Amino acid sequence: DGGITQSPKYLFRKEGQNVTLSCEQNLNHDAMYWYRQDPGQGLRLIYYSQIVNDFQKGDIAEGYSVSREKKESFPLTVTSAQKNPTAFYLCASKKRGGGHEQFFGPGTRLTVL
Amino acid sequence: AQTVTQSQPEMSVQEAETVTLSCTYDTSESDYYLFWYKQPPSRQMILVIRQEAYKQQNATENRFSVNFQKAAKSFSLKISDSQLGDAAMYFCAYRYSVISNFGNEKLTFGTGTRLTIIP
């Protein structure tokens, strides 16, 4: 079955540590996205990538980094520079082209201890 | 910059009744897409319905329909015959249509409306 997987489902991090969230898709989608969700704020775009080896900052990229070495994978690293990293993180992917929707993964809940 | 506003943080409806969720947006573009996403307690985002701005006809998907008013920049979602499984957060989202430049395919979300279904 095609879809998007995110791992782990829950992640705990000590302050000052970097942590990497995984996002994999087998839908053959070109574009991939990372969103952050906080209570009462909806989803905000962190980074996105339209093709392999290229990515762009979204609205709240500070303290985060990404890579896109393979079409199927778009990992997100939350660095120690991110001041308030506790949140729910959603990955999405999409075919290139105007009429296509974004499909979302099940998300990762990150908690900083 | 585009913005999406959902002014109803919470709504409730009796089972089998009809409810309308409001969404307004701001854009200077004439060609774009609008979406309603549902996020149940599992937190999986699910597309409910979408509307292309160039289409005058309102989109419908079974019990879900929209009222798209382009001049007023309004995009409301009507849920008919509400069911217990409709209980969720509902997010309105906007996306620019032209794909000639990379970066125009990102979604801008509203803050969501939590819908409760009363048995």
Side-chain angles (χ1 to χ4, degrees):
Chain A
D1 288 339
I4 303 173
T5 56
Q6 291 186 241
S7 61
K9 187 172 182 178
Y10 300 98
L11 189 56
F12 298 90
R13 188 194 94 176
K14 293 182 179 179
E15 280 194 34
Q17 288 182 336
N18 292 354
V19 64
T20 297
L21 281 60
S22 170
C23 177
E24 303 276 335
Q25 54 97 2
N26 60 4
L27 300 167
N28 199 33
H29 287 172
D30 293 286
M32 297 187 73
Y33 308 80
W34 274 106
Y35 293 92
R36 170 179 171 142
Q37 186 176 22
D38 296 281
Q41 294 195 47
L43 278 72
R44 294 180 291 168
L45 183 65
I46 305 172
Y47 267 99
Y48 58 98
S49 169
Q50 303 289 351
I51 55 173
V52 174
N53 293 322
D54 185 70
F55 48 83
Q56 305 294 328
K57 291 182 178 180
D59 301 319
I60 55 166
E62 185 175 350
Y64 299 97
S65 65
V66 294
S67 62
R68 188 83 187 278
E69 297 177 0
K70 298 186 300 181
K71 188 176 184 178
E72 307 78 28
S73 178
F74 191 42
L76 173 74
T77 297
V78 184
T79 74
S80 56
Q82 170 50 235
K83 298 305 179 188
N84 185 23
T86 295
F88 188 64
Y89 292 86
L90 284 158
C91 178
S93 72
K94 177 187 168 295
K95 277 186 184 179
R96 283 175 63 180
H100 301 292
E101 67 180 274
Q102 286 188 20
F103 288 88
F104 285 82
T108 293
R109 173 69 183 178
L110 173 64
T111 302
V112 174
L113 302 174
Chain B
Q2 293 79 21
T3 59
V4 177
T5 302
Q6 293 179 251
S7 59
Q8 305 155 315
E10 296 184 357
M11 293 278 287
S12 61
V13 63
Q14 206 80 28
E15 194 176 0
E17 297 296 311
T18 295
V19 65
T20 298
L21 308 184
S22 301
C23 173
T24 58
Y25 58 94
D26 186 26
T27 182
S28 58
E29 306 298 335
S30 60
D31 200 11
Y32 47 87
Y33 292 91
L34 295 165
F35 304 84
W36 279 99
Y37 278 89
K38 170 185 178 181
Q39 188 179 42
S42 68
R43 305 199 78 171
Q44 176 80 49
M45 294 286 284
I46 303 164
L47 179 67
V48 175
I49 198 166
R50 75 175 190 193
Q51 175 81 42
E52 291 92 337
Y54 67 87
K55 290 186 176 179
Q56 292 188 346
Q57 186 174 5
N58 289 326
T60 62
E61 287 287 343
N62 300 314
R63 298 182 295 107
F64 298 87
S65 62
V66 299
N67 183 6
F68 173 48
Q69 301 289 328
K70 190 172 184 179
K73 296 180 182 176
S74 171
F75 183 60
S76 61
L77 174 70
K78 185 172 82 170
I79 306 174
S80 304
D81 185 25
S82 297
Q83 300 175 1
L84 294 177
D86 295 333
M89 284 288 289
Y90 286 82
F91 292 94
C92 179
Y94 165 101
R95 195 183 81 218
Y96 182 49
S97 178
V98 176
I99 314 298
S100 59
N101 299 315
F102 288 153
N104 289 335
E105 297 188 3
K106 63 177 184 176
L107 284 168
T108 299
F109 285 87
T111 53
T113 297
R114 182 176 301 280
L115 179 65
T116 301
I117 310 297
I118 303 168

